């Protein structure tokens, strides 16, 4: 009499009635998995009533079993067949055999009880390692995906950005703590909104940014064509006015908004994390601002901060003195197209990493298609903001600010900048590999209107 284990009985009662048969020495020789005919080595029992709507699993038979069943017989005992819509693939070759299909729990229980089944595994996502390329990009984006100097005219959109992260900041909220954002600009594709303004709720609109600085920063961090994290949400936090200045109380109030909104968002489906991008410095140190930023970091909000444009030790300025070993912020200095540290950039032990900050072209104010080329550590900062957003959306282990900061420093490019200083990069190793075009950006037909400063003036360097 055939013995059936308790696990198999449970499976039978659940609806999938096949139990692994016991074989004797007199059992006929097994039929090869590639043999198209049905095996005679399985005892036919009452078929189960398969239920559609289950999850997808991959089933692999034990290649070392003395009498493996034919796949068609195994499927039959589950109430399935190779042509059933819930059977995605049948594997029937000399190396391995099995099938992939959608099944509910009772069938999985039955399969796990079978001696002839080696693995029953839920299907998992496979991510391509092929790099993507975006043409007609600013030089800064090319630079964070290679070590070589870019060459050419850095004010032109003639460079190539290489990346391998399809998430591109999806689920990440980037707070542009600055002069506001021209949210109607084509570069943002509806992903930008105003969340806070020091001038009150009536200022939460596309005209909020009267200086252009915040819109430019937002474009580099996450704008189409100009930016890195092109799937992230951009939230404008206006703490600076039409001259690019404000007060420490405005800043603390804006950071209060960031903390409250982060608390509201952190338990919502699809939320990944928050980054506060701050491209400004204070005329005098402010303990209140520094403590507010430290509080954000402690609450799990990433702080990306410009080193400042005074060509001094960043540790003597606020809030750049919250970087390096002094705090959890990521503080960014500036380099130019020659890969030399910019003459205006603050440096020192409070600077964690460097990024492109000269001749940076990005979105601007005055229309939904205006662009502008400017320079400053304010422009270097959002390059790292965008990298952080992309990394966070791809790797959940980088959600804690301390883990992200350590990763950025440890994986930075070394040797390109004099003094072996760390150069921010997006994780790409520039070796010949298959690449595909990012059609969303490379085929945009938008004709940008490049803002030209009045005659007699030079491209502005914003010391904000």
């Amino acid at each position: 009499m055939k013995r059936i284990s308790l696990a198999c009985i449970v499976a039978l009662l659940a609806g999938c009635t096949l139990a692994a048969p016991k074989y004797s020495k007199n059992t006929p020789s097994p039929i090869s998995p590639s043999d198209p005919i049905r095996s005679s080595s399985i005892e036919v029992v009452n078929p189960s009533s398969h239920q559609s709507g289950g999850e997808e699993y991959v089933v692999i038979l034990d290649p070392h079993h003395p009498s493996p069943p034919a796949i068609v017989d195994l499927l039959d005992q589950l109430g399935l067949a190779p042509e059933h819509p819930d059977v995605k693939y049948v594997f029937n070759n000399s190396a391995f055999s099995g099938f992939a299909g959608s099944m509910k729990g009772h069938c999985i229980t039955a399969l796990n009880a079978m001696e002839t089944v080696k693995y029953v595994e839920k299907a998992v996502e496979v991510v391509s390692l092929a790099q993507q390329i975006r043409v007609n990009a600013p030089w800064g984006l090319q630079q964070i995906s290679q070590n070589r100097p870019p060459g050419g005219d850095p004010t032109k959109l003639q460079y190539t950005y290489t990346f391998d992260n399809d998430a591109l900041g999806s689920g990440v909220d980037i707070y542009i703590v600055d002069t506001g954002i021209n949210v109607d600009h084509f570069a943002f594709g509806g992903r930008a909104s105003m969340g806070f303004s020091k001038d009150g709720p009536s200022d939460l609109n596309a005209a909020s940014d009267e200086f252009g600085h915040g819109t430019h920063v937002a474009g580099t961090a996450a704008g189409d064509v100009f930016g890195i994290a092109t799937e992230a949400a951009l939230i404008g936090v206006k703490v600076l006015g039409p001259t690019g200045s404000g007060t420490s109380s405005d800043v603390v109030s804006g950071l209060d908004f960031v903390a409250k909104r982060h608390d509201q968002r952190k338990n919502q489906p699809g939320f990944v994390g928050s980054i506060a991008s701050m491209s400004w410095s204070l005329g005098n140190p402010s303990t209140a601002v520094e403590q507010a930023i430290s509080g954000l970091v402690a609450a799990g909000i990433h702080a990306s901060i410009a080193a400042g444009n005074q060509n001094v030790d960043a540790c003597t300025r606020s809030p750049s003195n919250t970087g390096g070993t002094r705090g959890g912020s990521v503080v960014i200095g500036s380099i130019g197209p020659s890969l030399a540290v910019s003459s205006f950039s603050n440096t020192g032990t409070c600077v964690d990493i460097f990024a492109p900050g000269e001749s940076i072209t990005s979105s601007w104010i005055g229309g939904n298609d205006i662009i502008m080329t400017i320079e400053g550590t304010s422009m270097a900062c959002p390059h790292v903001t965008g990298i952080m957003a992309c990394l966070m959306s791809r790797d959940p282990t980088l959600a804690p600010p301390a883990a992200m900061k350590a990763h950025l420093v440890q994986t930075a490019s070394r040797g390109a900048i004099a003094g072996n200083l760390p150069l921010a990069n997006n994780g790409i190793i520039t070796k010949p590999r298959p690449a595909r075009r990012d059609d969303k950006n490379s085929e945009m037909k938008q004709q940008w209107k490049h803002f030209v400063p009045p005659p007699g003036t030079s491209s502005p360097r914003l010391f904000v």
Side-chain angles (χ1 to χ4, degrees), residues 430-447:
T430 53
K431 295 179 179 179
R433 294 174 61 184
R436 62 181 186 271
R437 185 182 298 269
D438 176 17
D439 293 330
K440 176 181 177 182
N441 289 286
S442 64
E443 295 184 1
M444 287 189 71
K445 304 301 182 182
Q446 175 64 37
Q447 297 297 311

Side-chain angles (χ1 to χ4, degrees), residues 364-383:
W364 199 246
I365 59 173
N368 57 11
D369 58 354
I370 307 299
I371 62 176
M372 178 67 161
T373 302
I374 54 180
E375 60 186 12
T377 57
S378 288
M379 286 59 257
C381 173
H383 283 88

Side-chain angles (χ1 to χ4, degrees), residues 136-152:
N136 302 324
W139 80 269
L141 269 63
Q142 177 168 302
Q143 194 57 62
I144 64 170
S145 58
Q146 69 167 33
N147 284 326
R148 301 180 303 276

Side-chain angles (χ1 to χ4, degrees), residues 62-344:
D62 185 353
H64 303 297
H65 194 279
S67 300
I71 299 301
V72 67
D73 289 334
L74 180 59
L75 290 172
D76 183 59
Q77 298 306 302
L78 295 171
L80 294 168
E83 62 273 12
H84 193 287
D86 283 343
V87 177
K88 188 174 183 180
Y89 301 109
V90 170
F91 317 124
N92 201 19
N93 58 72
S94 60
F96 61 89
S97 59
F99 70 96
S102 299
M103 296 170 286
K104 291 192 173 181
H106 60 288
C107 286
I108 303 307
T109 300
L111 287 165
N112 280 326
M114 297 179 189
E115 294 178 353
T116 55
V117 173
K118 183 71 172 178
Y119 302 110
V120 181
E121 178 181 274
K122 186 179 291 186
V124 297
E125 181 183 8
V126 179
V127 179
S128 169
L129 294 179
Q131 297 175 357
Q132 298 187 57
I133 60 171
R134 183 197 307 170
V135 298
N136 302 324
W139 80 269
L141 269 63
Q142 177 168 302
Q143 194 57 62
I144 64 170
S145 58
Q146 69 167 33
N147 284 326
R148 301 180 303 276
D153 183 350
T155 67
K156 304 295 184 183
L157 297 176
Q158 61 183 15
Y159 298 90
T160 300
Y161 178 45
T162 307
F163 58 98
D164 63 357
N165 185 347
D166 283 329
L168 295 175
S170 177
V172 177
D173 291 342
I174 298 177
Y175 295 89
I176 303 297
V177 185
D178 213 289
T179 62
I181 302 176
N182 174 12
V183 297
D184 286 346
H185 200 285
F186 285 140
F188 303 130
R191 292 178 292 109
S193 62
M194 284 297 302
F196 170 89
S197 173
K198 68 182 187 65
D199 297 326
S202 62
D203 193 40
L204 301 179
N205 53 60
S208 176
D209 187 2
E210 301 175 80
F211 192 54
H213 189 264
T215 299
H216 196 282
V217 168
T220 300
D224 293 339
V225 178
F226 315 109
I228 299 158
T230 54
E231 297 295 331
L234 287 159
I235 301 98
V237 180
K238 182 176 179 179
V239 299
L240 306 176
T243 62
S245 62
T247 67
S248 59
S249 62
D250 295 331
V251 170
V252 174
S253 183
L255 298 182
D256 175 65
F257 164 80
V258 173
K260 289 177 179 176
R261 191 176 186 277
H262 172 78
D263 286 341
Q264 295 171 352
R265 288 275 291 140
K266 63 184 180 182
N267 294 320
Q268 295 178 0
F271 175 74
V272 172
S274 301
I275 304 171
S277 190
M278 293 168 273
S279 288
W280 41 264
S281 63
L282 300 171
N284 296 297
S286 168
T287 302
V289 170
E290 294 162 16
Q291 289 300 311
I293 292 173
S294 296
L296 291 187
V297 174
I301 301 169
H302 300 254
S304 178
I305 297 176
N309 301 334
Q310 297 81 24
N311 188 25
V312 299
D313 185 346
C315 292
T316 65
R317 299 289 170 163
S318 183
S320 58
N321 58 358
T322 62
T325 59
R326 289 196 178 186
S329 302
V330 177
V331 173
I332 302 102
S334 171
I335 61 165
S338 66
L339 305 192
V341 174
S342 301
S343 60
F344 52 79

